[in-house]
Amino acid sequence: MNIFSIFKRKTSSQIAKDRLKILLISDRVNCSPEMMELIKNDIAQVISKYMKIDSTSMEVQISKTGSSGRNGKKMPVLYANIPILDLRD
Amino acid sequence: MSEVIVVTSGKGGVGKTTTSANVGTGLAELGKSVVLIDADIGLRNLDVVMGLENRIVYNLVDVIEGNCRLKQALIKDKRHSGLFLMPAAQTRDKNCITPGQMVKLIDSLREQFDYIILDCPAGIEQGFQNAIAGADHAIVVTTPEVSAIRDADRIIGLLEANEIKKVDLVLNRLRQDLIRRGEMMTVDDVLDILGLPLLGVVPDDENVVIATNQGEPLVGKNSDAGQAFFNICKRLEGKEVPFKDFGKNVTIWTRFSGLFKKNLQEERA
């Protein structure tokens, strides 16, 4: 065990927070983490038809604090962060 | 105009009844007229936390079924003349009343009281639906644990679906020592996850156990939890009360000094 592993060790509160974030996504929209993974792969496939993307570092998540819906209620949004690879390189 | 507040959590044992008792008592201490309604039919507990279990004659179900007049089921508190308790029935179950009947009951209490506080049962079934039916405002109580937060999140969704617009969070049973060691989620962690406005932070305090043993709410008394509950009451009354620092950051100043402390700790590690 080197000195860096002390810094890297996750505290149990961090573990709890990480677990909750994943758990609540599936709870909120009744969508399991596996299904999110499938959605992510499908999006990557479609987008990569048109441009070069970095599918390994893309993120897809559902967050609650989206835009307001028709009756002013917060709507969940599907948020995708897809890095586009620069073709000039 | 009275305010109807439901105290709810989803998960059991996180402190709904304790919060209801203390917030009700604290508001009465601030000179408000308050009625506490125990909506946990079949598993009533608010009466014992308030120390009023020996005075019960009629209960909420008796009023709804017309076995007694409204006033007969209201038990006056030992210490505060403006505080009343409407106990739940113990020998019935949650399905014996409907949300519509609760709304009617609450409306008949609105004229008389500044605050109507409902102690919601755990769970999301009929009992929950009954308790939130007439509420204008919800207080979600949770503890910094994965299970409690998950249930709280579900409850928040249900409150939104039931058009309860004002929803606040009370974070109960925080332990400063654990937070400092990184073994308990901080106030900010929980707020980040649940995204609710913070109404109060109550530390884990043995005085709560003692107070419950004695049947005397500890709000306003010289203990950490007592002060925290009293601050909640003041905030409900529209006063700005700064949040106490629990290991890390809540106000801008403590956030700043918290960052400083965190850096120091990391350096030491």
Side-chain angles (χ1 to χ4, degrees):
Chain A
M1 194 167 92
N2 60 27
I3 188 120
F4 293 107
S5 62
I6 299 172
F7 287 105
K8 277 185 186 160
R9 190 185 74 93
K10 263 193 184 178
T11 59
S12 71
S13 76
Q14 190 58 50
I15 295 169
K17 213 179 155 184
D18 293 345
R19 287 176 64 208
L20 265 168
K21 280 195 170 153
I22 297 168
L23 188 63
L24 294 188
I25 290 167
S26 43
D27 279 3
R28 279 172 190 170
V29 279
N30 213 355
C31 169
S32 66
E34 293 83 51
M35 204 152 98
M36 285 299 292
E37 200 55 39
L38 291 176
I39 293 172
K40 184 178 149 180
N41 290 340
D42 283 1
I43 291 176
Q45 242 177 47
V46 172
I47 305 285
S48 55
K49 272 195 210 168
Y50 304 97
M51 54 183 83
K52 235 179 163 174
I53 58 165
D54 181 6
S55 57
T56 48
S57 59
M58 74 178 274
E59 278 176 65
V60 175
Q61 53 177 294
I62 290 162
S63 71
K64 202 182 191 180
T65 48
S67 53
S68 296
R70 252 171 295 167
N71 44 8
K73 256 172 39 181
K74 292 273 186 191
M75 311 244 293
V77 289
L78 184 70
Y79 167 90
N81 189 356
I82 309 167
I84 302 168
L85 295 174
D86 196 338
L87 297 173
R88 280 173 301 183
D89 288 343
Chain B
M1 187 58 199
S2 67
E3 187 170 356
V4 184
I5 305 174
V6 60
V7 180
T8 182
S9 71
K11 187 175 177 295
V14 296
K16 283 181 297 297
T17 305
T18 309
T19 304
S20 304
N22 281 289
V23 168
T25 308
L27 287 168
E29 197 127 343
L30 291 170
K32 297 286 150 185
S33 59
V34 182
V35 60
L36 286 164
I37 301 179
D38 192 344
D40 201 348
I41 297 164
L43 291 168
R44 74 172 172 216
N45 274 321
L46 192 53
D47 53 336
V48 282
V49 176
M50 295 293 296
L52 299 170
E53 69 272 23
N54 294 329
R55 305 186 184 190
I56 297 175
V57 182
Y58 295 108
N59 58 52
L60 184 143
V61 179
D62 289 325
V63 176
I64 284 175
E65 291 182 344
N67 301 331
C68 70
R69 280 175 291 116
L70 182 66
K71 279 222 166 85
Q72 288 177 295
L74 290 174
I75 304 166
K76 199 170 168 179
D77 184 58
K78 289 173 185 165
R79 279 156 243 94
H80 301 90
S81 56
L83 178 61
F84 291 83
L85 169 73
M86 181 173 286
Q90 182 71 342
T91 52
R92 304 293 292 272
D93 74 79
K94 289 167 178 92
N95 300 320
C96 72
I97 59 169
T98 65
Q101 288 172 321
M102 278 301 276
V103 173
K104 234 173 109 185
L105 174 78
I106 288 165
D107 283 342
S108 63
L109 289 163
R110 272 184 198 263
E111 263 177 46
Q112 209 183 330
F113 295 99
D114 297 323
Y115 285 96
I116 299 168
I117 298 175
L118 292 133
D119 183 19
C120 182
I124 53 172
E125 297 86 14
Q126 175 88 38
F128 170 76
Q129 296 297 341
N130 288 338
I132 66 164
D136 316 315
H137 179 184
I139 296 177
V140 175
V141 183
T142 191
T143 59
E145 290 155 51
V146 178
S147 49
I149 291 171
R150 183 193 200 178
D151 288 2
D153 188 73
R154 181 104 167 81
I155 286 292
I156 293 162
L158 290 171
L159 290 169
E160 277 172 7
N162 282 277
E163 311 253 308
I164 295 179
K165 302 244 155 55
K166 201 172 161 198
V167 184
D168 290 319
L169 186 75
V170 167
L171 193 48
N172 196 14
R173 253 180 248 150
L174 255 86
R175 282 185 53 184
Q176 210 162 3
D177 53 333
L178 286 181
I179 290 173
R180 289 212 169 121
R181 294 205 317 254
E183 310 296 2
M184 182 176 268
M185 277 182 273
T186 64
V187 176
D188 282 4
D189 287 341
V190 179
L191 291 180
D192 191 29
I193 291 165
L194 292 177
L196 285 187
L198 185 63
L199 179 65
V201 181
V202 184
D204 191 30
D205 185 347
E206 59 183 28
N207 289 302
V208 174
V209 179
I210 297 167
T212 310
N213 286 344
Q214 294 167 336
E216 278 186 37
L218 50 63
V219 61
K221 291 197 180 137
N222 191 20
S223 68
D224 290 343
Q227 290 303 320
F229 280 123
F230 204 45
N231 287 341
I232 291 173
C233 299
K234 288 180 192 160
R235 289 184 196 114
L236 284 173
E237 276 289 281
K239 293 190 184 77
E240 287 255 341
V241 187
F243 288 93
K244 216 182 145 236
D245 179 15
F246 280 91
K248 260 192 260 170
N249 50 28
V250 175
T251 62
I252 291 169
W253 165 245
T254 51
R255 181 168 294 176
F256 180 74
S257 60
L259 271 175
F260 184 60
K261 266 183 233 152
K262 198 177 147 198
N263 286 339
L264 272 181
Q265 276 171 359
E266 274 166 9
E267 267 169 37
R268 270 187 226 128

